Amino acid sequence: MNENLVTGPDTEEGDVIDTLNGFTGSAASVVDGSPFSVIYGSPLYRDLDSGELILNDFGFPQLDPTGATPDRVLGDPNPDWRAGLGTTIEYKNFRLSAQFDAVQGNDVWNGTRGVLNHFGVSQETANEVTVSAAEAITIVNYQGTAIQDLPNAQQNDDGSYTVRGNLEDFGAGTVLLDQAYYNGATGSGFNGATEPYIEDASYVKLRELTLGYSFSNQAAKSIGMRSLDISISGRNLITWSDIEGFDPDNNLTGASKGRGLEYFTNPSTSSYSFIVRIGL
């Protein structure tokens, strides 16, 4: 564990002391009263006392229409804890070793998902939903248009409607998240809120796996060697995480002070090696 808190001599709690890396509205920042390199950006419009979302007339979350809600700390890329587990199992001449890494409780700003949603080229925006004829009248998109009135909605033989988008209930009834929401509204990765794209980046990774075999001395000597050992090894083989589309072990700006940013980062590679050790 590594628990830390930043305080500045000339700042008050909540003040931004420095911006380390990132973009306008989504930045890794040093903020008085918060851990180092927190994710700072534009929040959804909420009631200050209860924390409940203040929805627009159609039931969608929104940015503060008054412009009075300031940017704030939205996530912490510092994990609650890190752990590693390694083990080696030997049976006769065989040897199996494995190394697992776990990082839990860290947040990330998924900028890649936000931009792909904005342009409507992500799997999320390609989803299609089918609703009954009655629901097609009551479920609306961000612009308040009912599903049955959308130009891309298709009516099926049973009277139901199929449309591209996702159904969500933010607290005032089911609504349709289509490109009206993802492209120019709250769900946009460009001009929307930062908060919807703060995600839990916890993961468990099979960091390395090695299978080896050591020939007996007699077998090695029969081919003119004192010893012979062979092994095959792989690194970064499997990652278990709720994150989709990128490796949560990565960071946009590499090994910099600014953490918790994902924006079209090159993926991690898996590597494999075959090793022969010969003793003469």
Side-chain angles (χ1 to χ4, degrees), residues 39 74-78 105-109 198-201 259-261:
I39 305 170
L74 299 173
D76 182 2
N78 301 286
N106 53 311
D107 297 321
V108 67
W109 169 70
I198 303 298
E199 302 179 13
D200 179 10
R259 304 292 299 172
L261 304 174

Side-chain angles (χ1 to χ4, degrees), residues 66-194:
T66 68
T69 301
D71 288 357
R72 64 185 63 171
V73 174
L74 299 173
D76 182 2
N78 301 286
D80 294 335
W81 55 269
R82 296 174 178 268
L85 175 65
T87 183
T88 298
I89 302 172
E90 294 183 356
Y91 178 73
K92 294 185 177 179
N93 290 11
F94 288 95
R95 179 181 68 260
L96 179 67
S97 62
Q99 175 69 42
F100 293 89
D101 290 339
V103 178
Q104 299 293 307
N106 53 311
D107 297 321
V108 67
W109 169 70
N110 192 343
T112 302
R113 175 172 161 244
V115 171
L116 294 181
N117 281 358
H118 175 87
F119 288 110
V121 292
S122 65
Q123 277 190 312
E124 187 174 346
T125 59
N127 185 57
E128 289 187 338
V129 294
T130 299
V131 300
S132 67
E135 291 173 319
I137 298 173
T138 59
I139 297 177
V140 300
N141 71 355
Y142 192 82
Q143 296 170 334
T145 304
I147 288 179
Q148 69 169 9
D149 298 325
L150 293 172
N152 63 333
Q154 296 182 351
Q155 187 172 18
N156 304 310
D157 293 339
D158 61 357
S160 64
Y161 284 81
T162 298
V163 66
R164 180 174 167 175
N166 297 278
L167 299 179
E168 187 67 69
D169 186 347
F170 296 103
T174 303
V175 292
L176 176 69
L177 309 185
D178 63 0
Q179 281 310 109
Y181 174 77
Y182 292 120
N183 184 260
T186 316
S188 168
F190 277 142
N191 50 13
T194 305

